[in-house]
C-alpha cells in the first residue's frame, strides 16, 4: 500500500504542453488533410467522369445515325473498325465474329485513353463490339457506378442508343474507365499527408516544449526557491532567498513578484516575532528580578517587619502593574505591525475622532489649556480603523501632557488637502534634542529614562503610534527644539466614498 510520503510519478507541464500541442496540431492537420483529400478526390473523379462522358457521347452520336437495330457488322461499318491487339478474355465464338477498332476522327479522339474501354450491345444485350477486354457484364439497371475490380477502381457508365431518324431503341453502349491515375494520385496524397502530419506534429511538439519551458520559467524558479527554503534554515532562507525576476511582463512574472512580496512579509513577521520575544525577555527581566528580590527578602526575615513587608508588597504590586502595562503595549505594537492584513479596508471620520479625543483630554486635564485649530467643517473619511486613530491621538496627547509640566498648554490642529488629512499635536514642554529626535520612535527608547519611568512610560507609545499610522499607508514626523517643545504630525490618506461605492 502506498504511503503518503512516497513520491508520485512526476509528469512535467512542459511535457504535457508539448504533447498536447503536437497532438492538437496533428488533429487539426488531419481534419484539414481529410477535407483537402476529399476535395482533390472529387476533382479527380469529376475529370475521369468527364473523359468517360466524352467517349460515351462520341460513340452514341455515331451509332445513333443507324436506322435499324445495331448488329456487329453495322457497328463495325459505322465505327470504321479494325482489329485491335488489346482484345483479351473473349471466348472463341465472340472472337470469330467480332472486331475491335481503333477509330478515326471524334471517336478515335474520345476513346484513345489507355484506360477507357467501349462495349456495344444489341437490343437483346448481346455483345456486338468491344474496344478492350470487357471488365464487367452489361446491366441496364445502373446507368453509372464506381466499383472495385481486382483492387482497382473502375467507373462504369451505360446508355441506350436511339436512332436519330426513327427514335427507336437500337442498342446499348457501355464505357468502362479504369481509374489508375486516380488511385495512384490518392495514394500519393495519403502518403504526403501522413509525412507532413507527422512532421508537423513533431515540430509543433518541439516548439511547444521550448515555448512552455520559456513561459513556465517563473514557475520553475518559484519551485526552486521553495526547495531552498525547505532545505535551509527557515530564517536564513527567508532573509537571503528570493525568486529571480524575469522581465517577461506577463502573469507568471507578476506571480513571481507577488511570491517575493509574500516572502518579504513572512520575513517581517518572523523578525517581529523574534523581536517581540527578545523585547519581552529583556524588559521583563528587571521587574521579575525586583519582585524576586522582595520575595527573597520577605522569605528570610522581612515578613516579621511590618514596614518592610508593606514596602515589599507595594513595590511588587507596582512592578506587576508595570509588567501588565508593558505586555499590553507590546501586544499592541505586535498588532500594529499587522493592521494592513486585519483592518486594511476600515474607514473612520477624522473630524469626529479628533474632536472626541480633544474634548476628552480637555475634560480630564482641567489644569491644562487646550487649543484646537480645526479646518474640517464636514465629515472627513480617512483610511484607518477608528479605534486605532483614537489610540494614536491619545498617545500623542498623553505625551504632550506628560512633558508640559512647566507651561501647561497643548495645541491640536486638523487640516486636509486633496489627498491627505493631517493632525498636529504641539506641546511647550522639555522638547527633544537633535541627537535623540531620530531615535524616539524606536521601541523602548526613552530620552530621559528616569523621568519616563516615573511617569509610567515604557518607551513603546510612539513606536505603536508610528506603526499604526504606517500600517494604513500614512506618515508620522516630529519637529522639536530642546527646552521649547515638540510638534508631532501625522498624515492619513483620504477616502473617496463615491468611488469606493
Amino acid at each position: 500500500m502506498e504511503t503518503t510520503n512516497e513520491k508520485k510519478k512526476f509528469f512535467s507541464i512542459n511535457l504535457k504542453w508539448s504533447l498536447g500541442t503536437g497532438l492538437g496540431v496533428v488533429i487539426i492537420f488531419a481534419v484539414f488533410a481529410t477535407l483537402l483529400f476529399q476535395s482533390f478526390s472529387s476533382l479527380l473523379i469529376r475529370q475521369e467522369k468527364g473523359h468517360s462522358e466524352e467517349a460515351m457521347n462520341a460513340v452514341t452520336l455515331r451509332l445513333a445515325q443507324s436506322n435499324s437495330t445495331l448488329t456487329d457488322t453495322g457497328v463495325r461499318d459505322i465505327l470504321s473498325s479494325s482489329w485491335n491487339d488489346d482484345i483479351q478474355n473473349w471466348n472463341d465464338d465472340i472472337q470469330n465474329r467480332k472486331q475491335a477498332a481503333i477509330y478515326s476522327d471524334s471517336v478515335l479522339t474520345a476513346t484513345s485513353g489507355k484506360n477507357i474501354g467501349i462495349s456495344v450491345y444489341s437490343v437483346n444485350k448481346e455483345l456486338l463490339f468491344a474496344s478492350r477486354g470487357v471488365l464487367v457484364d452489361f446491366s441496364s439497371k445502373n446507368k453509372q457506378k464506381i466499383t472495385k475490380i481486382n483492387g482497382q477502381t473502375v467507373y462504369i457508365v451505360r446508355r441506350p442508343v436511339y436512332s436519330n431518324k426513327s427514335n427507336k431503341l437500337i442498342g446499348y453502349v457501355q464505357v468502362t474507365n479504369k481509374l489508375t491515375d486516380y488511385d495512384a494520385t490518392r495514394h500519393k496524397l495519403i502518403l504526403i499527408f501522413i509525412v507532413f502530419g507527422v512532421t508537423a506534429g513533431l515540430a509543433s511538439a518541439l516548439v511547444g516544449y521550448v515555448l512552455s519551458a520559456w513561459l513556465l520559467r517563473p514557475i520553475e524558479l518559484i519551485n526552486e526557491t521553495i526547495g531552498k527554503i525547505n532545505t535551509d534554515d527557515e530564517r536564513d532562507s527567508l532573509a537571503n532567498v528570493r525568486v529571480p525576476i524575469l522581465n517577461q511582463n506577463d502573469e507568471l512574472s507578476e506571480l513571481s513578484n507577488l511570491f517575493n512580496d509574500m516572502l518579504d512579509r513572512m520575513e517581517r513577521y518572523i523578525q517581529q516575532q523574534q523581536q517581540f520575544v527578545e523585547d519581552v525577555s529583556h524588559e521583563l527581566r528587571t521587574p521579575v528580578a525586583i519582585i524576586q528580590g522582595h520575595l527573597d527578602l520577605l522569605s528570610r526575615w522581612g515578613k516579621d517587619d511590618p514596614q518592610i513587608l508593606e514596602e515589599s508588597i507595594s513595590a511588587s504590586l507596582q512592578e506587576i502593574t508595570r509588567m501588565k502595562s508593558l505586555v499590553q503595549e507590546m501586544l499592541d505594537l505586535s498588532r500594529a505591525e499587522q493592521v494592513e492584513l486585519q483592518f486594511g479596508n476600515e474607514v473612520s471620520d477624522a473630524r469626529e475622532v479628533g474632536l472626541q479625543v480633544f474634548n476628552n483630554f480637555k475634560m480630564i486635564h482641567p489644569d491644562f489649556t487646550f487649543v484646537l485649530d480645526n479646518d474640517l467643517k464636514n465629515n472627513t473619511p480617512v483610511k484607518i480603523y477608528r479605534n486605532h486613530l483614537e489610540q494614536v491621538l491619545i498617545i500623542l496627547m498623553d505625551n504632550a501632557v506628560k512633558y508640559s509640566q512647566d507651561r501647561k498648554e497643548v495645541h491640536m490642529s486638523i487640516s486636509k488637502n486633496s489627498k491627505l488629512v493631517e493632525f498636529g499635536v504641539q506641546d511647550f514642554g522639555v522638547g527633544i534634542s537633535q541627537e535623540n529626535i531620530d531615535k524616539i520612535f524606536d521601541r523602548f527608547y526613552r530620552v530621559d529614562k528616569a523621568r519616563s519611568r516615573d511617569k509610567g512610560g515604557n518607551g513603546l507609545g510612539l513606536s505603536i503610534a508610528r506603526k499604526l499610522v504606517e500600517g494604513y499607508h500614512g506618515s508620522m514626523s516630529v519637529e522639536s527644539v530642546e527646552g521649547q517643545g515638540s510638534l508631532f504630525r501625522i498624515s492619513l490618506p483620504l477616502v473617496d466614498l463615491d468611488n469606493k461605492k
Side-chain angles (χ1 to χ4, degrees), residues 371-375 411-415 422-426 487-489:
V371 179
L372 177 63
D373 182 12
N374 182 18
D375 293 339
H411 291 188
M412 174 187 282
S413 63
I414 312 175
S415 60
E422 183 177 277
F423 291 88
V425 177
Q426 183 177 9
L487 172 61
F488 287 85
R489 288 192 178 93

Side-chain angles (χ1 to χ4, degrees), residues 59-70 78 123 159-173:
V59 173
T60 53
L61 286 176
R62 183 66 61 86
L63 295 176
Q65 297 175 4
S66 176
N67 294 327
S68 59
T69 57
L70 297 177
I78 293 173
V123 176
R159 185 182 299 176
V161 181
Y162 294 91
S163 173
N164 290 337
K165 298 179 180 179
S166 63
N167 202 29
K168 292 182 179 180
L169 178 67
I170 59 176
Y172 298 92
V173 176

Side-chain angles (χ1 to χ4, degrees), residues 386-453:
R386 178 188 176 93
N387 291 353
H388 289 162
L389 177 56
E390 185 177 347
Q391 183 179 4
V392 170
L393 294 178
I394 289 175
I395 290 172
L396 296 182
M397 292 289 285
D398 188 57
N399 282 346
V401 170
K402 286 179 181 178
Y403 297 102
S404 300
Q405 295 302 316
D406 295 333
R407 179 180 173 181
K408 296 186 177 183
E409 184 177 345
V410 176
H411 291 188
M412 174 187 282
S413 63
I414 312 175
S415 60
K416 71 173 183 177
N417 55 32
S418 60
K419 296 181 179 181
L420 300 171
V421 169
E422 183 177 277
F423 291 88
V425 177
Q426 183 177 9
D427 65 69
F428 301 92
V430 297
I432 307 169
S433 66
Q434 294 302 312
E435 178 185 356
N436 295 316
I437 200 168
D438 295 331
K439 304 176 183 178
I440 61 172
F441 294 108
D442 295 343
R443 60 183 73 197
F444 301 110
Y445 184 81
R446 291 181 288 267
V447 177
D448 187 342
K449 294 180 172 54
R451 179 181 295 183
S452 298
R453 189 174 296 275

Side-chain angles (χ1 to χ4, degrees), residues 322-356:
R322 196 169 75 84
M323 287 172 61
K324 289 174 58 178
S325 173
L326 176 63
V327 171
Q328 183 60 49
E329 288 185 351
M330 293 181 68
L331 290 175
D332 290 342
L333 180 60
S334 179
R335 296 189 187 102
E337 293 170 335
Q338 302 178 21
V339 293
E340 187 176 0
L341 290 178
Q342 302 176 9
F343 304 96
N345 298 321
E346 295 291 336
V347 175
S348 60
D349 183 3
R351 180 177 180 273
E352 179 183 352
V353 176
L355 290 176
Q356 176 184 334

Side-chain angles (χ1 to χ4, degrees), residues 247-311:
N247 296 322
Q248 296 182 189
N249 297 324
D250 55 18
E251 292 82 356
L252 293 180
S253 295
E254 182 65 20
L255 178 62
S256 299
N257 293 328
L258 293 175
F259 188 80
N260 283 340
D261 292 341
M262 182 190 70
L263 292 180
D264 292 339
R265 184 173 298 179
M266 290 176 62
E267 182 183 0
R268 289 198 302 270
Y269 291 160
I270 292 175
Q271 290 175 349
Q272 292 167 9
Q273 182 184 29
Q274 293 170 346
Q275 185 67 44
F276 180 83
V277 173
E278 292 173 0
D279 291 342
V280 168
S281 61
H282 178 269
E283 291 297 319
L284 293 184
R285 185 180 297 116
T286 300
V288 168
I290 293 173
I291 294 173
Q292 183 179 6
H294 283 290
L295 292 177
D296 289 340
L297 178 62
L298 292 176
S299 66
R300 289 197 303 269
W301 54 272
K303 58 186 177 182
D304 298 327
D305 188 335
Q307 183 178 358
I308 294 178
L309 178 62
E310 183 179 355
E311 290 177 357

Side-chain angles (χ1 to χ4, degrees), residues 33-208:
T34 301
L35 296 175
L36 191 62
F37 181 76
Q38 294 296 336
S39 298
F40 272 108
S41 297
S42 299
L43 178 62
L44 292 173
I45 201 69
R46 282 198 300 269
Q47 291 177 347
E48 295 295 342
K49 286 182 178 180
H51 296 328
S52 301
E53 291 294 332
E54 290 176 0
M56 175 63 75
N57 291 335
V59 173
T60 53
L61 286 176
R62 183 66 61 86
L63 295 176
Q65 297 175 4
S66 176
N67 294 327
S68 59
T69 57
L70 297 177
T71 62
D72 54 352
T73 304
V75 171
R76 185 184 65 245
D77 294 339
I78 293 173
L79 298 180
S80 300
S81 60
S82 63
W83 290 106
N84 189 327
D85 295 335
D86 293 334
I87 297 176
Q88 297 176 358
N89 300 327
W90 287 21
N91 58 44
D92 295 337
D93 292 337
I94 294 177
Q95 289 181 352
N96 290 335
R97 61 189 180 86
K98 302 296 185 298
Q99 291 182 344
I102 299 299
Y103 324 112
S104 61
D105 54 64
S106 62
V107 176
L108 177 61
T109 303
T111 61
S112 60
K114 64 179 181 179
N115 297 318
I116 293 180
I118 306 296
S119 303
V120 181
Y121 297 84
S122 66
V123 176
N124 297 327
K125 304 175 183 178
E126 295 178 352
L127 180 63
L128 302 177
F129 173 85
S131 64
R132 302 184 191 280
V134 181
L135 300 176
V136 295
D137 297 332
F138 179 79
S139 175
S140 59
K141 293 181 180 180
N142 299 318
K143 293 185 177 180
Q144 62 181 12
K145 70 175 183 177
I146 297 177
T147 185
K148 285 281 188 179
I149 300 177
N150 298 327
Q152 188 173 26
T153 306
V154 178
Y155 174 68
I156 305 170
V157 58
R158 304 181 179 101
R159 185 182 299 176
V161 181
Y162 294 91
S163 173
N164 290 337
K165 298 179 180 179
S166 63
N167 202 29
K168 292 182 179 180
L169 178 67
I170 59 176
Y172 298 92
V173 176
Q174 174 177 280
V175 175
T176 57
N177 187 357
K178 293 189 292 184
L179 306 181
T180 305
D181 295 338
Y182 169 79
D183 286 339
T185 304
R186 280 168 57 94
H187 293 157
K188 289 180 181 179
L189 284 177
I190 292 174
L191 181 60
I192 290 173
F193 286 149
I194 290 175
V195 172
F196 272 93
V198 173
T199 304
L202 294 176
S204 61
L206 180 60
V207 172

